[in-house]
Amino acid sequence: MLRVAALGLAGSGAALWTLLGTAPRTDRTVDGSIRWPWLATGVAAFVSGLALGPTAAGLSGAIVGICSWCAANVVRSRRRVVAAESVAQFASVLANQAQVSRTVVDALETSAPLATGPIAQTASRLVSECRNVGVEAAAQHFAAGAEGTIAAWLADVVAVAASSGGQWVPILGVLEAEAAEVAATARHFHRHVAANLPQVGLAATLGAAVAVGSALVSPDGWAWMTGPEGQRVGLAAVAAAVAIAARPITSAWEMLR
């Protein structure tokens, strides 16, 4: 039992070290979507390692880790699409209201109730801040706060428009076009990149299933796979598979930052 536990711990460490060396980099201020893939990977590797040995730990940790990071990319990309579409919708409303409003604050007060999605609450809070402390102070407060990129974008819009005198209406028109382009880019990335990442996890799962299934149908093959040489070859194959799969996953994650 102690021998199996020791092998399991070694396999868990190998799997986690491999993932640690190739997993997407991100700062700690980003949302908590980076935590659950690590947790799922560690649990899968540890449990299977204690029960079946290092190859099982590496294999299960790699499969769960790859699939978890693919899912995390899809979720994050979808959130990005929702946020970008919300900003584009609000920018369109704000640009239209600018045509009939005297000031930026008037346009914001009229547009904020019409906003939908993640930016709705941010727009309402910014309007309230503009009334209480003024446009420039409100813009600086939101740009420096922890409200996220949507609030920073909105603060920049307000600050630039408020400081441009009578030329603020064309600025909002330009920003409307830019917000629409950002939303279109986010939709394109999600459709053609993020939504296809689960195929990487599926390929890794099918490859592992073929290898294990082939060993199960042959007593000699199973004996070799569970032996010392098979364990070493299996861990090397797992490390190579993780390194290969990590490239598209890492690239997608960095693009979503």
Coordinates of all heavy atoms in Angstrom, one line a residue, residues 18-90:
T18 N 4.1 19.1 -15.1 CA 4.0 19.2 -16.5 C 3.0 20.3 -16.9 O 3.2 21.2 -17.7 CB 3.5 17.9 -17.2 OG1 4.5 16.9 -16.8 CG2 3.5 18.0 -18.7
L19 N 1.8 20.3 -16.2 CA 0.8 21.3 -16.4 C 1.3 22.7 -16.0 O 1.0 23.7 -16.6 CB -0.5 20.9 -15.7 CG -1.2 19.7 -16.3 CD1 -2.4 19.3 -15.4 CD2 -1.8 20.1 -17.7
L20 N 2.0 22.7 -14.9 CA 2.5 24.0 -14.3 C 3.5 24.6 -15.3 O 3.5 25.8 -15.5 CB 3.1 23.8 -13.0 CG 3.7 25.0 -12.3 CD1 2.6 26.0 -12.0 CD2 4.5 24.6 -11.0
G21 N 4.2 23.8 -16.0 CA 5.2 24.4 -16.9 C 4.7 24.9 -18.2 O 5.3 25.6 -18.9
T22 N 3.4 24.4 -18.6 CA 2.9 24.8 -19.9 C 1.5 25.5 -19.8 O 1.0 25.9 -20.8 CB 2.7 23.5 -20.7 OG1 1.9 22.6 -20.0 CG2 4.1 22.9 -21.1
A23 N 1.0 25.6 -18.6 CA -0.4 26.2 -18.5 C -0.4 27.6 -18.8 O 0.6 28.3 -18.7 CB -0.9 25.9 -17.0
P24 N -1.6 28.2 -19.2 CA -1.6 29.6 -19.5 C -1.3 30.5 -18.3 O -1.6 30.3 -17.2 CB -3.1 29.8 -19.9 CG -3.6 28.4 -20.2 CD -2.8 27.5 -19.4
R25 N -0.5 31.5 -18.7 CA -0.1 32.5 -17.6 C -1.2 33.6 -17.5 O -1.7 34.0 -18.5 CB 1.2 33.2 -18.0 CG 2.4 32.2 -18.1 CD 2.7 31.6 -16.8 NE 4.0 30.9 -16.8 CZ 4.1 29.6 -17.2 NH1 3.0 28.9 -17.5 NH2 5.3 29.0 -17.2
T26 N -1.4 34.0 -16.3 CA -2.4 35.1 -16.1 C -2.1 35.7 -14.7 O -1.5 35.1 -13.9 CB -3.8 34.6 -16.1 OG1 -4.7 35.7 -16.0 CG2 -4.1 33.6 -15.0
D27 N -2.5 37.0 -14.6 CA -2.3 37.6 -13.3 C -3.4 37.3 -12.3 O -4.5 36.8 -12.7 CB -2.1 39.1 -13.4 CG -3.3 39.7 -14.1 OD1 -4.4 39.5 -13.7 OD2 -3.1 40.5 -15.1
R28 N -3.2 37.5 -11.0 CA -4.1 37.1 -10.0 C -5.3 38.0 -9.9 O -6.2 37.7 -9.2 CB -3.4 37.1 -8.6 CG -2.3 36.1 -8.6 CD -1.7 36.0 -7.2 NE -0.5 35.1 -7.2 CZ -0.7 33.8 -6.9 NH1 -1.9 33.3 -6.6 NH2 0.4 33.0 -6.8
T29 N -5.3 39.2 -10.6 CA -6.4 40.1 -10.6 C -7.5 39.7 -11.5 O -8.6 40.2 -11.5 CB -6.0 41.5 -10.9 OG1 -5.4 41.5 -12.3 CG2 -4.9 41.9 -10.0
V30 N -7.3 38.7 -12.4 CA -8.3 38.3 -13.3 C -9.3 37.4 -12.6 O -9.1 37.0 -11.5 CB -7.6 37.5 -14.5 CG1 -8.6 37.0 -15.5 CG2 -6.5 38.3 -15.2
D31 N -10.5 37.2 -13.2 CA -11.5 36.5 -12.6 C -11.1 35.1 -12.1 O -10.1 34.6 -12.5 CB -12.7 36.4 -13.5 CG -12.3 35.7 -14.8 OD1 -12.2 34.5 -14.8 OD2 -12.3 36.3 -15.9
G32 N -12.0 34.5 -11.3 CA -11.6 33.2 -10.7 C -11.7 32.0 -11.6 O -11.7 30.9 -11.1
S33 N -11.8 32.3 -12.9 CA -12.0 31.1 -13.8 C -10.7 30.3 -14.0 O -10.8 29.2 -14.6 CB -12.4 31.6 -15.2 OG -11.4 32.5 -15.8
I34 N -9.6 30.8 -13.4 CA -8.4 30.0 -13.5 C -8.2 29.0 -12.4 O -7.3 28.2 -12.4 CB -7.1 30.9 -13.6 CG1 -7.0 31.7 -12.2 CG2 -7.2 31.9 -14.7 CD1 -5.7 32.4 -12.1
R35 N -9.1 29.1 -11.4 CA -8.9 28.3 -10.2 C -9.4 26.8 -10.4 O -8.8 25.9 -10.0 CB -9.6 28.9 -9.0 CG -8.9 30.2 -8.6 CD -9.6 30.9 -7.5 NE -9.1 32.2 -7.2 CZ -9.8 33.2 -6.7 NH1 -11.1 33.1 -6.5 NH2 -9.2 34.4 -6.5
W36 N -10.6 26.7 -10.9 CA -11.2 25.4 -10.9 C -10.5 24.4 -11.9 O -10.5 23.2 -11.6 CB -12.7 25.5 -11.3 CG -13.1 26.0 -12.7 CD1 -13.3 27.2 -13.1 CD2 -13.2 25.1 -13.8 NE1 -13.5 27.2 -14.4 CE2 -13.5 25.9 -14.9 CE3 -13.1 23.7 -14.0 CZ2 -13.7 25.4 -16.2 CZ3 -13.3 23.2 -15.3 CH2 -13.7 24.1 -16.4
P37 N -9.9 24.9 -13.0 CA -9.1 23.9 -13.8 C -8.0 23.3 -13.0 O -7.7 22.1 -13.1 CB -8.6 24.7 -15.0 CG -9.6 25.8 -15.1 CD -10.0 26.1 -13.7
W38 N -7.3 24.1 -12.2 CA -6.2 23.6 -11.4 C -6.7 22.6 -10.3 O -6.1 21.6 -10.1 CB -5.5 24.8 -10.7 CG -4.6 25.5 -11.6 CD1 -4.8 26.8 -12.0 CD2 -3.3 25.1 -12.2 NE1 -3.7 27.2 -12.8 CE2 -2.8 26.2 -12.9 CE3 -2.6 23.9 -12.1 CZ2 -1.7 26.1 -13.6 CZ3 -1.4 23.9 -12.8 CH2 -1.0 24.9 -13.6
L39 N -7.8 23.0 -9.7 CA -8.4 22.1 -8.7 C -8.8 20.8 -9.3 O -8.5 19.7 -8.7 CB -9.6 22.8 -8.0 CG -10.3 22.0 -6.9 CD1 -9.3 21.7 -5.8 CD2 -11.5 22.8 -6.4
A40 N -9.5 20.8 -10.4 CA -9.9 19.6 -11.0 C -8.7 18.7 -11.4 O -8.7 17.5 -11.2 CB -10.8 19.9 -12.2
T41 N -7.7 19.3 -12.0 CA -6.5 18.6 -12.4 C -5.8 17.9 -11.2 O -5.5 16.7 -11.2 CB -5.5 19.5 -13.1 OG1 -6.2 20.1 -14.2 CG2 -4.3 18.8 -13.5
G42 N -5.6 18.7 -10.1 CA -5.0 18.2 -8.9 C -5.7 17.0 -8.3 O -5.2 16.0 -7.9
V43 N -7.1 17.2 -8.2 CA -7.9 16.1 -7.6 C -7.8 14.8 -8.4 O -7.6 13.7 -7.8 CB -9.3 16.6 -7.4 CG1 -10.2 15.5 -7.0 CG2 -9.4 17.7 -6.3
A44 N -8.0 15.0 -9.7 CA -8.0 13.8 -10.6 C -6.6 13.1 -10.5 O -6.6 11.8 -10.4 CB -8.3 14.2 -12.0
A45 N -5.5 13.8 -10.6 CA -4.2 13.2 -10.5 C -3.9 12.5 -9.2 O -3.4 11.4 -9.1 CB -3.1 14.2 -10.8
F46 N -4.3 13.2 -8.1 CA -4.0 12.7 -6.8 C -4.8 11.4 -6.5 O -4.3 10.4 -6.0 CB -4.3 13.7 -5.7 CG -3.9 13.3 -4.3 CD1 -2.6 13.3 -3.9 CD2 -4.9 12.9 -3.4 CE1 -2.3 13.0 -2.6 CE2 -4.6 12.5 -2.1 CZ -3.2 12.5 -1.7
V47 N -6.1 11.4 -6.8 CA -7.0 10.3 -6.5 C -6.6 9.1 -7.3 O -6.4 8.0 -6.8 CB -8.5 10.7 -6.7 CG1 -9.3 9.4 -6.5 CG2 -8.9 11.7 -5.7
S48 N -6.5 9.3 -8.6 CA -6.1 8.1 -9.5 C -4.7 7.7 -9.2 O -4.4 6.5 -9.3 CB -6.3 8.5 -10.9 OG -5.4 9.6 -11.3
G49 N -3.8 8.6 -8.8 CA -2.4 8.2 -8.5 C -2.4 7.3 -7.2 O -1.6 6.3 -7.2
L50 N -3.1 7.7 -6.2 CA -3.1 6.8 -5.0 C -3.7 5.5 -5.3 O -3.3 4.5 -4.7 CB -4.0 7.5 -3.9 CG -3.3 8.8 -3.3 CD1 -4.3 9.3 -2.2 CD2 -2.0 8.4 -2.6
A51 N -4.7 5.4 -6.2 CA -5.4 4.1 -6.4 C -4.7 3.2 -7.4 O -4.6 2.0 -7.2 CB -6.8 4.4 -6.9
L52 N -4.1 3.9 -8.5 CA -3.6 3.0 -9.6 C -2.1 3.3 -9.9 O -1.6 2.5 -10.8 CB -4.4 3.3 -10.8 CG -5.9 2.9 -10.7 CD1 -6.7 3.3 -11.9 CD2 -6.1 1.4 -10.4
G53 N -1.5 4.3 -9.4 CA -0.1 4.5 -9.7 C 0.2 5.7 -10.5 O -0.7 6.5 -10.9
P54 N 1.5 6.0 -10.9 CA 1.9 7.2 -11.5 C 1.4 7.4 -12.9 O 1.0 8.5 -13.3 CB 3.4 7.1 -11.5 CG 3.7 5.7 -11.4 CD 2.6 5.1 -10.5
T55 N 1.3 6.3 -13.7 CA 0.8 6.5 -15.1 C -0.7 6.9 -15.0 O -1.1 7.8 -15.8 CB 0.9 5.2 -15.9 OG1 2.3 4.9 -16.0 CG2 0.4 5.3 -17.2
A56 N -1.5 6.3 -14.2 CA -2.9 6.7 -14.1 C -3.0 8.1 -13.6 O -3.9 8.9 -14.0 CB -3.6 5.8 -13.1
A57 N -2.1 8.5 -12.6 CA -2.1 9.9 -12.1 C -1.8 10.9 -13.3 O -2.5 11.9 -13.4 CB -1.1 10.1 -11.0
G58 N -0.8 10.6 -14.0 CA -0.4 11.5 -15.1 C -1.5 11.5 -16.2 O -1.8 12.6 -16.7
L59 N -2.0 10.3 -16.5 CA -3.0 10.3 -17.6 C -4.3 11.0 -17.2 O -4.8 11.8 -17.9 CB -3.3 8.8 -17.9 CG -4.3 8.6 -19.1 CD1 -3.7 9.1 -20.3 CD2 -4.6 7.0 -19.2
S60 N -4.8 10.7 -16.0 CA -6.1 11.3 -15.6 C -5.9 12.8 -15.4 O -6.7 13.7 -15.7 CB -6.6 10.7 -14.3 OG -5.7 10.8 -13.3
G61 N -4.7 13.2 -14.7 CA -4.5 14.6 -14.5 C -4.4 15.4 -15.9 O -4.9 16.5 -16.0
A62 N -3.7 14.8 -16.8 CA -3.6 15.4 -18.1 C -4.9 15.6 -18.8 O -5.2 16.6 -19.4 CB -2.6 14.6 -19.0
I63 N -5.7 14.5 -18.9 CA -7.0 14.6 -19.5 C -7.9 15.6 -18.9 O -8.5 16.4 -19.6 CB -7.7 13.2 -19.6 CG1 -6.8 12.2 -20.4 CG2 -9.1 13.3 -20.1 CD1 -6.6 12.6 -21.8
V64 N -8.0 15.5 -17.6 CA -8.9 16.4 -16.9 C -8.4 17.9 -17.0 O -9.1 18.8 -17.2 CB -9.0 16.0 -15.4 CG1 -9.8 17.1 -14.6 CG2 -9.7 14.7 -15.3
G65 N -7.0 18.0 -16.9 CA -6.5 19.4 -17.0 C -6.7 20.0 -18.4 O -7.1 21.1 -18.5
I66 N -6.5 19.2 -19.5 CA -6.7 19.7 -20.8 C -8.1 20.1 -21.0 O -8.5 21.1 -21.5 CB -6.2 18.7 -21.9 CG1 -4.7 18.5 -21.8 CG2 -6.7 19.1 -23.3 CD1 -4.1 17.4 -22.7
C67 N -9.0 19.2 -20.7 CA -10.5 19.4 -20.8 C -10.9 20.6 -20.0 O -11.7 21.4 -20.5 CB -11.3 18.2 -20.5 SG -11.1 16.8 -21.6
S68 N -10.4 20.8 -18.8 CA -10.8 21.9 -17.9 C -10.3 23.2 -18.5 O -11.1 24.2 -18.5 CB -10.2 21.7 -16.5 OG -10.7 20.5 -15.9
W69 N -9.1 23.3 -19.0 CA -8.6 24.5 -19.6 C -9.3 24.9 -20.8 O -9.6 26.0 -21.1 CB -7.1 24.4 -19.8 CG -6.3 24.7 -18.6 CD1 -5.6 23.8 -17.9 CD2 -6.2 25.9 -17.8 NE1 -5.0 24.3 -16.7 CE2 -5.4 25.6 -16.7 CE3 -6.7 27.2 -18.0 CZ2 -5.0 26.7 -15.8 CZ3 -6.4 28.2 -17.1 CH2 -5.5 27.9 -16.0
C70 N -9.7 23.9 -21.6 CA -10.5 24.1 -22.8 C -11.8 24.7 -22.4 O -12.3 25.7 -23.0 CB -10.7 22.8 -23.6 SG -9.2 22.2 -24.5
A71 N -12.5 24.1 -21.4 CA -13.8 24.6 -21.0 C -13.6 26.0 -20.4 O -14.5 26.9 -20.6 CB -14.4 23.7 -19.9
A72 N -12.6 26.3 -19.7 CA -12.3 27.6 -19.1 C -12.2 28.7 -20.2 O -12.7 29.8 -20.1 CB -11.1 27.6 -18.2
N73 N -11.5 28.3 -21.3 CA -11.4 29.2 -22.4 C -12.7 29.5 -23.1 O -13.0 30.7 -23.4 CB -10.4 28.6 -23.5 CG -9.0 29.0 -23.3 OD1 -8.6 30.2 -23.4 ND2 -8.1 28.1 -22.9
V74 N -13.5 28.5 -23.2 CA -14.8 28.7 -23.8 C -15.7 29.6 -23.0 O -16.4 30.5 -23.5 CB -15.5 27.3 -24.1 CG1 -17.0 27.6 -24.5 CG2 -14.8 26.5 -25.1
V75 N -15.7 29.4 -21.7 CA -16.5 30.2 -20.8 C -16.0 31.6 -20.8 O -16.8 32.6 -20.8 CB -16.5 29.6 -19.3 CG1 -17.1 30.6 -18.3 CG2 -17.2 28.3 -19.3
R76 N -14.7 31.8 -20.7 CA -14.2 33.2 -20.7 C -14.4 33.9 -22.0 O -14.7 35.1 -22.0 CB -12.7 33.1 -20.4 CG -12.1 34.4 -19.9 CD -10.6 34.2 -19.6 NE -10.1 35.3 -18.8 CZ -8.8 35.5 -18.6 NH1 -7.9 34.7 -19.1 NH2 -8.4 36.6 -17.9
S77 N -14.3 33.2 -23.1 CA -14.6 33.8 -24.4 C -16.1 34.2 -24.5 O -16.4 35.3 -25.0 CB -14.3 32.8 -25.5 OG -14.6 33.4 -26.8
R78 N -17.0 33.4 -24.0 CA -18.4 33.7 -24.0 C -18.7 34.9 -23.2 O -19.5 35.8 -23.6 CB -19.2 32.5 -23.5 CG -20.7 32.7 -23.7 CD -21.1 33.0 -25.1 NE -22.5 33.6 -25.2 CZ -22.9 34.2 -26.2 NH1 -22.2 34.4 -27.3 NH2 -24.2 34.6 -26.3
R79 N -18.1 35.0 -22.0 CA -18.2 36.2 -21.2 C -17.7 37.5 -21.9 O -18.3 38.6 -21.8 CB -17.5 36.1 -19.9 CG -18.1 35.1 -19.0 CD -17.3 34.9 -17.7 NE -17.9 33.9 -16.8 CZ -17.3 33.4 -15.7 NH1 -16.1 33.8 -15.4 NH2 -17.9 32.6 -14.9
R80 N -16.6 37.3 -22.6 CA -16.1 38.4 -23.4 C -17.0 38.9 -24.5 O -17.2 40.1 -24.7 CB -14.7 38.0 -24.0 CG -14.0 39.1 -24.7 CD -12.8 38.6 -25.5 NE -12.1 39.6 -26.2 CZ -11.2 39.3 -27.2 NH1 -11.0 38.1 -27.5 NH2 -10.5 40.3 -27.7
V81 N -17.7 37.9 -25.1 CA -18.6 38.3 -26.2 C -19.8 39.1 -25.6 O -20.3 40.1 -26.1 CB -19.1 37.0 -26.9 CG1 -20.3 37.3 -27.8 CG2 -18.0 36.4 -27.7
V82 N -20.3 38.6 -24.5 CA -21.5 39.2 -23.8 C -21.1 40.6 -23.4 O -21.9 41.6 -23.6 CB -21.9 38.4 -22.6 CG1 -23.0 39.2 -21.8 CG2 -22.5 37.1 -23.0
A83 N -19.9 40.8 -22.8 CA -19.5 42.1 -22.4 C -19.3 43.1 -23.6 O -19.7 44.2 -23.5 CB -18.2 42.0 -21.6
A84 N -18.7 42.6 -24.7 CA -18.4 43.4 -25.8 C -19.7 43.8 -26.5 O -19.9 45.0 -27.0 CB -17.5 42.7 -26.8
E85 N -20.7 42.9 -26.6 CA -22.0 43.2 -27.2 C -22.7 44.2 -26.3 O -23.4 45.1 -26.8 CB -22.8 41.9 -27.4 CG -22.3 41.0 -28.5 CD -23.1 39.8 -28.6 OE1 -23.8 39.4 -27.7 OE2 -23.0 39.1 -29.7
S86 N -22.6 44.1 -25.0 CA -23.2 45.1 -24.1 C -22.7 46.5 -24.3 O -23.4 47.4 -24.4 CB -23.0 44.6 -22.6 OG -23.6 45.6 -21.7
V87 N -21.3 46.5 -24.4 CA -20.7 47.8 -24.6 C -21.1 48.4 -26.0 O -21.4 49.6 -26.1 CB -19.2 47.7 -24.6 CG1 -18.5 49.0 -25.0 CG2 -18.7 47.3 -23.2
A88 N -21.2 47.6 -27.0 CA -21.5 48.1 -28.3 C -23.0 48.6 -28.4 O -23.3 49.6 -29.0 CB -21.4 46.9 -29.4
Q89 N -23.9 47.9 -27.7 CA -25.3 48.3 -27.6 C -25.4 49.6 -26.9 O -26.1 50.6 -27.3 CB -26.1 47.2 -26.9 CG -27.6 47.6 -26.8 CD -28.0 48.3 -25.5 OE1 -27.2 48.3 -24.6 NE2 -29.2 48.9 -25.5
F90 N -24.7 49.8 -25.8 CA -24.7 51.0 -25.0 C -24.1 52.2 -25.8 O -24.6 53.3 -25.8 CB -24.0 50.9 -23.7 CG -24.1 52.1 -22.8 CD1 -25.2 52.6 -22.2 CD2 -22.9 52.9 -22.7 CE1 -25.2 53.7 -21.5 CE2 -22.9 54.0 -21.9 CZ -24.1 54.5 -21.3

